[in-house]
Amino acid sequence: MEIGIGDVVQLKKTHPCGSNRWEVFTVGADVGIKCQQCHRRVLLPRAVFERKVKAILSRGGMSVVDTEANLS
């Protein structure tokens, strides 16, 4: 899975605060994500992170919809 710093992802399960949108702040063997609502930071092993991701909502400030529109 291609993931970069600044990407916003949607996870399958919601966070206790009620949000399921997370921003990636570090990438490597572990992936660091930050909740968009309560700003809690979590560090997950890459394999666990990839299983939990439901969708990539935006890539480093550019939404996936905008990226697809620019390709056509």
Side-chain angles (χ1 to χ4, degrees), residues 40-61:
R40 168 77 66 180
R41 290 176 174 244
V42 178
L43 195 61
L44 297 171
R46 182 179 280 273
V48 173
F49 172 78
E50 289 180 358
R51 281 195 310 265
K52 292 181 179 257
V53 171
K54 184 175 183 179
I56 298 173
L57 303 176
S58 67
R59 295 224 178 243

Side-chain angles (χ1 to χ4, degrees), residues 55-66:
I56 298 173
L57 303 176
S58 67
R59 295 224 178 243
M62 188 173 195
S63 72
V64 174
V65 175
D66 293 340

Side-chain angles (χ1 to χ4, degrees), residues 1-9 23-27 31 46 56 58-60:
M1 171 184 289
E2 282 291 321
I3 197 76
I5 296 174
D7 291 356
V8 176
V9 296
E23 180 181 353
V24 176
F25 68 87
T26 187
V27 178
V31 178
R46 182 179 280 273
I56 298 173
S58 67
R59 295 224 178 243

Side-chain angles (χ1 to χ4, degrees), residues 10-22:
Q10 178 182 11
L11 299 184
K12 293 177 183 175
K13 293 176 107 179
T14 59
H15 190 242
C17 72
S19 176
N20 62 355
R21 295 173 52 102
W22 297 79

